[in-house]
Amino acid sequence: GETKEMEMEMDLLVSETVASGDYFLTRAAAQPILEALGFPIFLASLVSVLIASVPYEAVKLISKKQRAALKNEVLLNMLVEEEERRQREQTVVDKVSNGVFDFIQKLNVRSDSFDNDDESDDFDIEEEFVQPEIPGLDYIELFADVTKWLEYDVLVNSYRGVLALPNGQMLGPSLESAVFGILAALSSQLYTDVLYLYSDFGDPEKREDTLNRSARGWTKVYITKCVSSA
């Protein structure tokens, strides 16, 4: 339960960190190449952001599918445990009545087998469990991610070397980059929530989660966003 939830949240943070690393590496390689090919500096910066967003989104999509598979496994294990508990709690009368019912079912299946040889009476929880749909690309998230990196690029180009502490000391490059990352991530998350709340685009499940999000949930989402982007 809670352990699996914490594991999925940690995986989300790790995947965001790995995806961001891939983004910066790709962009650092793409922009000089584009400038060498004759692209103007502004256009090279813009195009490099779009190019670097491709591996970023790919890592996030792979991680999303892994989390969905883990969630499905947890649900299946819960169903299996519930079935095992139900069978352990059965009384003798329940077991006898179930045995009679199964015997009658088998007789019916045998009588129907002359008309349909492919029909089978063997069912288990794994066969009856319907796998939820594996999540695909969410266009609201894609829009928000690209917007985040564009905003980060604008902040870096416009305010690098300008931010200072209250005592007048200039921020170091690492801290300055973290501040820009947090501001861009917060703005991106705000765009995401507004689109989920006031449009019909994007993943319906995420839109429902956003509509029903508690005050604690809102705080958790934005804190996680800040930590993963700093």
Side-chain angles (χ1 to χ4, degrees):
E2 293 184 0
T3 303
K4 289 292 184 181
E5 184 178 349
M6 290 179 62
E7 183 178 340
M8 285 189 285
E9 289 178 2
M10 185 59 64
D11 179 70
L12 178 62
L13 289 174
V14 171
S15 66
E16 180 69 29
T17 302
V18 172
S20 297
D22 284 352
Y23 169 85
F24 285 115
L25 287 174
T26 305
R27 188 175 184 278
Q31 185 164 350
I33 293 175
L34 292 171
E35 292 178 5
L37 291 174
F39 282 76
I41 295 178
F42 172 77
L43 184 59
S45 177
L46 176 62
V47 174
S48 66
V49 168
L50 298 177
I51 292 174
S53 296
V54 174
Y56 176 81
E57 294 298 331
V59 171
K60 286 185 62 176
L61 185 59
I62 292 171
S63 176
K64 189 187 300 182
K65 290 183 177 180
Q66 290 174 342
R67 290 196 303 274
L70 179 60
K71 185 177 180 180
N72 294 346
E73 182 183 350
V74 171
L75 291 174
L76 180 58
N77 289 338
M78 289 174 60
L79 288 174
V80 172
E81 291 175 1
E82 178 64 23
E83 178 64 17
E84 290 176 348
R85 184 190 63 79
R86 186 185 65 80
Q87 291 184 2
R88 285 196 303 268
E89 293 178 354
Q90 281 184 341
T91 64
V92 176
V93 176
D94 292 331
K95 292 180 179 179
V96 171
S97 60
N98 287 339
V100 173
F101 179 75
D102 291 340
F103 178 73
I104 294 174
Q105 270 196 324
K106 290 179 180 179
L107 288 178
N108 290 335
V109 170
R110 286 172 184 170
S111 63
D112 293 340
S113 63
F114 293 101
D115 299 325
N116 186 4
D117 292 336
D118 295 331
E119 187 174 349
S120 172
D121 62 327
D122 296 327
F123 298 97
D124 54 32
I125 292 178
E126 286 81 0
E127 292 175 345
E128 294 178 347
F129 178 69
V130 178
Q131 293 283 349
E133 184 180 354
I134 298 297
L137 187 63
D138 188 333
Y139 292 103
I140 285 184
E141 280 194 2
L142 177 61
F143 168 78
D145 288 338
V146 172
T147 302
K148 175 181 72 174
W149 293 121
L150 290 174
E151 287 186 0
Y152 178 83
D153 193 56
V154 170
L155 289 170
V156 169
N157 291 329
S158 302
Y159 299 101
R160 181 167 45 195
V162 175
L163 301 182
L165 296 172
N167 60 6
Q169 181 181 355
M170 302 301 295
L171 294 182
S174 298
L175 187 56
E176 194 176 55
S177 178
V179 171
F180 293 152
I182 290 173
L183 291 175
L186 289 176
S187 176
S188 167
Q189 185 62 45
L190 183 61
Y191 291 147
T192 302
D193 290 332
V194 168
L195 288 173
Y196 277 137
L197 288 172
Y198 299 106
S199 77
D200 295 328
F201 299 107
D203 187 345
E205 184 177 347
K206 290 184 178 180
R207 184 165 61 251
E208 189 68 23
D209 289 341
T210 305
L211 289 170
N212 298 322
R213 189 182 294 163
S214 63
R216 181 183 177 185
W218 283 97
T219 304
K220 183 178 178 182
V221 165
Y222 279 84
I223 288 178
T224 302
K225 200 72 174 179
C226 291
V227 171
S228 64
S229 302

